[in-house]
Amino acid sequence: MSAPAIPAPLHARLRAGTVIPALPLALDAKRAFDAVHQRALVRYYVDAGVGGLAVGVHSTQFAIRDCGLYEPLLAFAAEHVDAWAARSGRQVLRIAGACGATAQAVA
């Protein structure tokens, strides 16, 4: 995303410096996606005042692609980050791990 496409309040926060942690992946005891705990993690970080969340990055980026969880996790996180941040009247940057050819990364 280019700088002009970022909403002005988010762009200003990014330029001033802000915390953008990697969102941990919540799995249950059977190593399946745990939506309840994933939602709680999103809420925790947004309530803590982060400027953004990076989803599908670091050690989980490749493993979740292999099992078809990457796109569903991005969609889940985007929905819940926006909804929870809106409750406090804030916007939170959403950063996604991207790799591969340009077409793959953009998709």
Side-chain angles (χ1 to χ4, degrees):
M1 178 181 286
S2 64
I6 299 173
L10 291 177
H11 189 248
R13 186 178 314 141
L14 185 60
R15 290 187 53 87
T18 190
V19 174
I20 304 174
L23 180 67
L25 177 62
L27 301 175
D28 63 18
K30 295 180 181 178
R31 299 183 57 105
F33 179 68
D34 184 337
V36 171
H37 288 101
Q38 192 70 58
R39 189 176 309 109
L41 284 166
V42 166
R43 290 176 175 183
Y44 168 80
Y45 281 109
V46 172
D47 285 348
V50 298
L53 280 172
V55 181
V57 298
H58 299 303
S59 58
T60 62
Q61 181 179 171
F62 301 105
I64 64 174
R65 287 176 189 271
D66 295 341
C67 68
L69 189 55
Y70 183 71
E71 290 178 19
L73 178 62
L74 290 181
F76 180 93
E79 175 186 348
H80 293 286
V81 165
D82 289 350
W84 198 248
R87 292 172 56 102
S88 62
R90 296 183 339 131
Q91 290 181 309
V92 175
L93 284 163
R94 299 175 309 180
I95 310 295
C99 68
T102 301
Q104 176 189 5
V106 170

